[in-house]
Amino acid sequence: MKKLFLILTSSMLTLVSYAQTTYTLSGKIEGKKANGQIVSLWADNGQKKIGSAIIKNNTFQIRGSIHDPELVKIIIAPTENSEQKLWKASGFYLDKGRLQLSAHIDSLPPYYYNPNLPSVKPTIEGSQAQNLANQLNRSIITERQALNKLDKDYMREYHLPAIDGIFNTDRGIAILKEMAPHKKIVFEKKWTFIKNNPAARVALDEASYMVMGYGDESLSKTQMDELLQIFEPSWAGRKVYIELETAIRKAKATAIGSNILDGPILDKDGNKIQLTSVFPKDKKYILLEFWASWCGPCRGEIPHLRHTYATWKDKGFDIVSISLDEKEADWKKAMTEEDMVWRQYNAREGFDSQIAKSYDIQGIPYALLVDANGIIIKHGMRGASLDLALAELAK
């Protein structure tokens, strides 16, 4: 009987731990165009629709239940079949209890980013998780404003001229150096926030963004292990914690200090070879770059790669480019058009190729700087970041 009681008690505790809690989201959407539009709520990174309503008298209400606070997306569309360019969309943390959303239909952010349209996020009241996210954002607003200005300077003074074959290398490096202290402060404030809020979903999400490379600095393996230790007491066994563990396992494979990962690729003649068998052994530093002919940002980066290769190839630098084009003709046509004279290979299955999965490539261009021993030494090697890295290594 005692054993049965313990089993039942344990089961009840588990049910309580994972019990869903209810929420009521009441919305007030100002503007003549609002009435009749359809509001939908999406969870699981926008993959799962969890509720919907029609705006009447400039109001709507959606009820439901959730396990934990979660970052969701709200979409407002004129009709079920309207084009996405007519949609409005924004994200916020859905939480238990009664929540109030306030916005104006004419100023809500568009579904697709458009700098020429107003973009005012809705006001959310009643969500403790959203309040915590707001607290974090307020703490780094000064640094974010400085970085946004420097981003615009970088685009205007370095990136756009580089696409046209004008390489303001010194200016690009100078802007990145100006950004560095601001990025350091943002990282430190986020790290402190994570350590101070180990039971908060907002903190766990911020940690996940860091691990996936969306942060302002690359994480070391030690820092990744520390994140697991921070969240384990509150989140162990939960889906989001398991996802963090999985992300960290993948990220560690390409963390700074790790060896490059091997995998099958095709050469220009269609022969299947292993990456490590063709990786340069006589160079000091090698850029391992993944791209595709259909990728606009990749093509925009190529003029700079041509310039960097010409500048540094006789100083111990080389490039190994791996295309994720699934059509050989598209790959070879782009190589010719872009005059890519360095080492070129192809992963014919694209993002489903073994090598792309090994590196957990979610988007391209994806570029790593590697030393002569095949050790990864830098991440995010695009534009002036590559110029700065090579200049510092050459000292």
Side-chain angles (χ1 to χ4, degrees), residues 3 20 31 33 37 69 71 82-83 107 117 133 186 267 271 322:
K3 182 176 180 181
Q20 292 187 330
K33 299 177 184 176
Q37 296 212 33
L71 187 62
S82 59
E83 297 179 78
S107 60
L117 293 176
V186 170
D267 64 17
N271 299 313
I322 300 175

Side-chain angles (χ1 to χ4, degrees), residues 23-31 34-35 37 39-41 52-63 74 76 92 94 97-105 108 122-125:
Y23 67 87
T24 300
L25 175 66
S26 299
K28 178 70 174 177
I29 309 296
E30 302 287 354
N35 289 318
Q37 296 212 33
V39 181
S40 56
L41 207 56
S52 64
I54 297 176
I55 301 173
K56 297 177 181 179
N57 298 320
N58 294 100
T59 64
F60 72 87
Q61 191 171 86
I62 298 175
R63 290 190 176 96
I74 188 169
I76 301 178
F92 68 93
L94 186 64
R98 295 183 176 276
L99 285 69
Q100 181 69 45
L101 180 149
S102 304
H104 195 291
I105 193 67
L108 275 167
T123 299
I124 307 294
E125 297 177 355

Side-chain angles (χ1 to χ4, degrees), residues 234-297:
S234 299
W235 295 92
R238 309 285 280 274
K239 179 175 179 286
V240 288
Y241 183 80
I242 294 170
E243 289 172 347
L244 178 63
E245 287 182 307
T246 300
I248 284 177
R249 185 178 67 252
K250 292 179 178 179
K252 277 186 174 182
T254 56
I256 291 173
S258 300
N259 286 89
I260 60 167
L261 304 172
D262 205 3
I265 50 178
L266 300 176
D267 64 17
K268 292 180 182 179
D269 297 322
N271 299 313
K272 182 178 285 189
I273 53 178
Q274 293 295 119
L275 173 60
T276 54
S277 71
V278 295
F279 211 75
K281 303 293 192 298
D282 58 340
K283 300 292 183 178
K284 293 180 181 178
Y285 306 108
I286 303 96
L287 182 72
L288 176 59
E289 183 237 7
F290 292 82
W291 71 291
S293 66
W294 46 262
C295 168

Side-chain angles (χ1 to χ4, degrees), residues 86-241:
L86 301 176
W87 296 3
K88 304 286 188 174
S90 189
F92 68 93
Y93 272 94
L94 186 64
D95 209 337
K96 65 181 180 180
R98 295 183 176 276
L99 285 69
Q100 181 69 45
L101 180 149
S102 304
H104 195 291
I105 193 67
D106 295 332
S107 60
L108 275 167
Y111 184 75
Y112 291 121
Y113 173 72
N114 186 333
N116 299 317
L117 293 176
S119 182
V120 181
K121 291 185 177 182
T123 299
I124 307 294
E125 297 177 355
S127 169
Q128 293 183 11
Q130 185 60 47
N131 290 342
L132 198 58
N134 292 341
Q135 175 188 321
L136 173 61
N137 290 331
R138 284 194 297 269
S139 74
I140 58 176
I141 190 170
T142 301
E143 289 75 24
R144 281 293 178 217
Q145 289 172 342
L147 287 169
N148 288 340
K149 179 185 179 301
L150 290 168
D151 273 332
K152 292 177 182 177
D153 292 344
Y154 180 87
M155 181 66 67
R156 183 180 65 255
E157 300 178 42
Y158 179 87
H159 183 67
L160 293 177
I163 293 175
D164 294 328
I166 301 169
F167 303 101
N168 301 321
T169 302
D170 290 343
R171 181 58 184 145
I173 290 176
I175 293 172
L176 289 186
K177 287 183 176 180
E178 285 185 71
M179 287 182 172
H182 297 293
K183 288 186 174 184
K184 186 173 186 293
I185 291 172
V186 170
F187 177 82
E188 290 173 347
K189 287 186 176 181
K190 285 189 174 184
W191 191 264
T192 299
F193 175 84
I194 287 169
K195 292 177 71 174
N196 290 342
N197 297 279
R201 176 64 185 269
V202 180
L204 193 146
D205 284 349
E206 287 296 335
S208 297
Y209 301 149
M210 286 182 175
V211 170
M212 291 186 289
Y214 301 141
D216 295 285
E217 293 189 16
S218 298
L219 296 182
S220 67
K221 294 180 181 180
T222 300
Q223 287 171 320
M224 293 181 200
D225 287 335
E226 186 175 348
L227 287 177
L228 291 177
Q229 293 171 7
I230 289 170
F231 292 109
E232 194 272 339
S234 299
W235 295 92
R238 309 285 280 274
K239 179 175 179 286
V240 288
Y241 183 80

